Amino acid sequence: MARWQRTHTCGDLRTDHVGSEVVLNGWIENHRHHGAVLFVDLRDRYGVTQVVFEQERDGALFERGRRLGAEDVLSVRGVVNRREQPNPDRATGEIEVVVTELEVLAESEPPPFEVLDVPEASEELRMRYRYLDLRRRPVQEALVKRAAFVTAVRKHLASLGFVDIETPVLTRSTPEGARDYLVPSRVHPGSFYALPQSPQIFKQLCMVGGLDRYYQIARCFRDEDLRADRQPEFTQIDLEMSFVEENDVLDVVEQTMVAAFREAFGIELAQPFPRLDYFEAVSRYGNDKPDLRFGIELVDVGALAAKSGFQVFRNAVETGGAVKGLCVPGGGERFSRKDVEKDLGGLAGAYGAKGLAWAKVGADGALAGSIAKFFEGAAGHELCGVMGAKPGDLLLFVADELRIVHRALAELRLAVGDRLGLRTPGEFRFAWVLNFPMFERDDETGGWASSHHPFTAPVDWDLEDYSASPGTVRSRAYDIVMNGWELGSGSIRIHRREVQERVFRFLGIDAEEQQRKFGFLLDAFRYGAPPHGGIALGVDRLITLALGAPSIRDVIAFPKTATATDLMCQAPSGVSARQLEELHIGLSGKALRPDAEGGAGS
RNA sequence: GGGGGCGUAGCUCAAUUGGUUAGAGUACCGGACUGUCGAUCCGGUGGUUGCGGGUUCGAGCCCCGUCGCCCUCGCCA
């Protein structure tokens, strides 16, 4: 062992080490000068230890210590000393190391920002110097917990006989879905690889290949605009099983989540995860990813609305729309008229509702508010009865086409839950949503598109006639959700060539295109494809939720910005003319602007 | 692609209605100090107000354009 190498980490030392000689390596977190004594806090991944330079012990050494600065990397040799005034905020606070030898392993220029647990620098700056940001304890803790979680998942899946199989990152572009990231081929001019949006087809082919139980912690790429919960490249726990039905996949995932949450986070998940039918979820919560930490469910008041004197309500029902409401317990006091009309009303408007109807229930059961005059006396009592409202409650209603009613009320429900503190941090309510519709309208083309993906098996595939009422066909797709986030989705797949062809055909992919783009999958189904199904779970989102982090970026070592750039390495960037030439690529349009030359950073 | 917010010292922010030499805290440098733990005290260095243009006697502030970051709608089978 080299002379400068550590005998302990900066988190190791306790009072039972007092008197022993140790060597610590680490970064200078802080230093305090007191004339003839100098304190330096030495930090590594494991903790912080105070090391002390004393002038009267060694004047020359003390002088060297005085010249040290933040983020210098040191090796100090010294003797562990019991402190007279311990620091109870630190695990190592009972002791300190009195330095007898110092080696500066690397000096640091004054860093562009201070490495603090609670960051003061902007996220932009921290991302540009992410390697400094990574020194922060909360960032390290997040990454360590992420690693523990993934390790637990791997361990559990391996114990169940799942085989970790790598699938290609350079693959082919497929139609539908998200925009692909493309990689030009040098060898094949004008041809491109695509980075996988998911390993979907490959994992199905693993099943055809007899591998039975596949999993992969897989990187996926989607060239779409970002959000706080979306990155252009992200990680999925991807798995697939043969000879299974929905329950088999759900059970494996449920067990794996329970085990991994326990091992990585010390969180005991309630079991079993509730299972909701898709239509039930949408009807009760307004969307397919309900936050089950609180109630306040949607109530259909269409029947009362239809016979009310409120034109907006009647119109909505008469034109085939819906009127639904939320009863906010105790909301009468918690929400002022301004809160309701401006904040909640504005929110409803942002999600397409033309207005927000509301009423507060008075002590006598009478209503007050925007719709009070249409629900006086018995009508008001009847409305309260349907809504389950008590005096002091706040009632919110949206009247519109059903889709908008659900969307707006889903958001209102979450906003109200936030405001009332019902979305408890540290509470984790997983749930399954089952039986998604097989198809949904594509707003752009007006045609039908797969709600999940085109490899999803329909329920009762041979009994249904797609063309008659495509919107009513159920698929064998399922989502796993938690606290209002979609965390994963999967399905039992089509394993019969004729069914797959039929679905493709219905989606407007003709035989020629099928053969060209999915020929290898369809061919595979000629040679004995087992029934199979699987799921993919978003690791980044799981960790973000489990740690209560505000952004997915907080659990990714080197995340990208909202415009998909890497502020640290300045990706994407321009490339040399020679590289473009080799790839047979010419630039045009905006790409030719001089300012595009240096790429994202210029 | 649309909407909103932000951009001033290394960092975090302030700067009256458009008005004198753009301030504070922190970091950094120097000094004092033998027990601190985001030490304290004294002094100092530090500015293309993101960038370009315009209006004005005068612009950090107003207008136009542009770049970057964040949130969001669309988008994300």
Side-chain angles (χ1 to χ4, degrees), chain A residues 7 19 31 74 119 130 141 164 179 181 244 257 259 266 274 338 375 418 476 504 513 519 556:
Chain A
T7 56
H31 49 112
L74 307 186
R130 182 60 160 170
E141 276 167 22
D164 179 3
R179 201 175 291 115
Y181 276 100
V244 293
M257 287 301 111
K338 189 182 152 203
F375 292 91
D418 275 331
R476 299 181 68 181
F504 280 147
E513 193 180 357
I556 297 173

Side-chain angles (χ1 to χ4, degrees), chain A residues 22 48 114 138 173 217 227 251 274 280 285 296 346 361 452 462-463 494 508 518 555 594:
Chain A
V22 298
V48 177
E114 294 173 68
S173 181
I217 309 297
R227 288 290 187 281
D251 285 347
E280 183 195 349
Y285 303 100
I296 309 189
V361 186
H452 184 48
D462 51 357
L463 302 177
I494 295 166
F518 300 107
V555 304

Side-chain angles (χ1 to χ4, degrees), chain A residues 185-358:
Chain A
S185 164
R186 174 183 58 85
V187 183
H188 303 280
S191 288
F192 295 80
Y193 300 95
L195 305 183
Q197 296 179 25
S198 78
Q200 183 60 35
I201 295 178
F202 288 104
K203 68 174 171 175
Q204 289 191 242
L205 292 173
C206 285
M207 296 304 102
V208 179
L211 284 154
D212 198 32
R213 289 187 160 203
Y214 144 99
Y215 90 97
Q216 181 180 192
I217 309 297
R219 194 68 63 86
C220 305
F221 307 86
R222 294 180 190 175
D223 186 4
E224 297 291 347
D225 288 340
L226 276 54
R227 288 290 187 281
D229 63 348
R230 284 190 340 221
Q231 283 272 304
E233 54 180 307
F234 58 98
T235 304
Q236 292 191 333
I237 301 164
D238 194 44
L239 62 88
E240 197 77 7
M241 308 163 71
S242 290
F243 311 114
V244 293
E245 295 188 324
E246 285 86 336
N247 278 340
D248 302 298
V249 179
L250 270 47
D251 285 347
V252 162
V253 172
E254 205 162 312
Q255 287 171 35
T256 305
M257 287 301 111
V258 167
F261 265 68
R262 180 182 295 138
E263 285 174 37
F265 309 130
I267 293 170
E268 288 300 323
L269 297 173
Q271 289 179 272
F273 300 173
R275 299 183 181 191
L276 295 156
D277 181 88
Y278 169 84
F279 286 103
E280 183 195 349
V282 171
S283 166
R284 288 171 60 189
Y285 303 100
N287 65 23
D288 57 10
K289 46 179 182 178
D291 186 340
L292 297 182
R293 284 175 297 181
F294 68 107
I296 309 189
E297 297 184 12
L298 279 59
V299 180
D300 191 336
V301 295
L304 287 182
K307 63 178 187 182
S308 78
F310 190 22
Q311 190 73 26
V312 172
F313 277 14
R314 284 217 314 275
N315 278 353
V317 177
E318 284 161 14
T319 56
V323 182
K324 289 185 146 193
L326 300 172
C327 174
V328 186
E333 268 194 32
R334 296 293 301 273
F335 294 86
S336 70
R337 182 191 186 95
K338 189 182 152 203
D339 291 336
V340 174
E341 298 201 330
K342 202 171 161 212
D343 297 352
L344 298 180
L347 187 66
Y351 288 91
K354 289 186 278 291
L356 177 64
W358 63 280

Side-chain angles (χ1 to χ4, degrees), chain A residues 101-119:
Chain A
E101 283 179 50
L102 165 69
E103 180 159 354
V104 179
L105 301 175
E107 289 182 14
S108 173
E109 292 179 19
F113 60 89
E114 294 173 68
V115 178
L116 303 170
D117 287 0
V118 179

